[in-house]
Amino acid sequence: MALRSGNLRRFLSTTSSLFDRPLYAAKAARVTEQIPPSTTLFVSGLSGRTTNQKLREAFANFGDVIQAKVVTDRSSLSNHSKGYGFVRYSNLEDAEKGKEGMDGQYLDGRVIFTEYAKPKDTL
């Protein structure tokens, strides 16, 4: 059944709100939300070859690293990296230096991105 021009106009006028805002608007709003500074950094874009030790060494250039952990797939027999990890510094100043110094840098052939980790209770 073909829509007549009047019916088409009525249809478009009732559904135009679907097209007013992009589908990704909610996600974009969530991404731009400000995360408070933390001593723990979230590091994404890690290579599958990056180990906890390599991650620690790379971030140790900017301060006292307490812990560096590459998150791995526990269901995999080889504990394959999921491509992200966490680095914890002893203080906020070192964490800020590490965040600024390593964001957009190469590690094991991949560009990595850093941001402050969200507290576990807000995940």
Side-chain angles (χ1 to χ4, degrees):
M1 176 173 141
L3 289 175
R4 294 186 179 164
S5 68
N7 290 341
L8 181 59
R9 257 186 255 128
R10 190 175 320 123
F11 173 76
L12 290 175
S13 69
T14 60
T15 60
S16 64
S17 64
L18 293 174
F19 305 106
D20 288 344
R21 58 181 252 203
L23 296 174
Y24 58 85
K27 184 177 181 182
R30 193 172 55 226
V31 169
T32 58
E33 156 189 321
Q34 192 72 328
I35 300 169
S38 163
T39 57
T40 304
L41 301 179
F42 173 74
V43 184
S44 60
L46 294 176
S47 164
R49 297 183 313 255
T50 304
T51 62
N52 293 341
Q53 186 61 33
K54 286 183 183 179
L55 188 62
R56 175 186 286 276
E57 290 170 1
F59 280 83
N61 295 326
F62 301 96
D64 183 27
V65 174
I66 294 174
Q67 181 184 29
K69 174 77 174 146
V70 175
V71 177
T72 57
D73 185 3
R74 286 182 273 162
S75 65
S76 168
L77 294 175
S78 63
N79 284 337
H80 189 266
S81 168
K82 287 191 169 189
Y84 65 93
F86 297 91
V87 176
R88 187 175 347 142
Y89 282 96
S90 61
N91 58 59
L92 282 173
E93 293 80 22
D94 289 349
E96 184 178 352
K97 289 179 202 172
K99 179 182 177 298
E100 297 300 319
M102 288 300 293
D103 192 41
Q105 297 299 313
Y106 281 92
L107 181 61
D108 287 334
R110 301 267 312 260
V111 176
I112 62 169
F113 301 96
T114 60
E115 60 185 70
Y116 293 115
K118 292 180 183 178
K120 286 184 180 182
D121 59 333
T122 63
L123 295 178

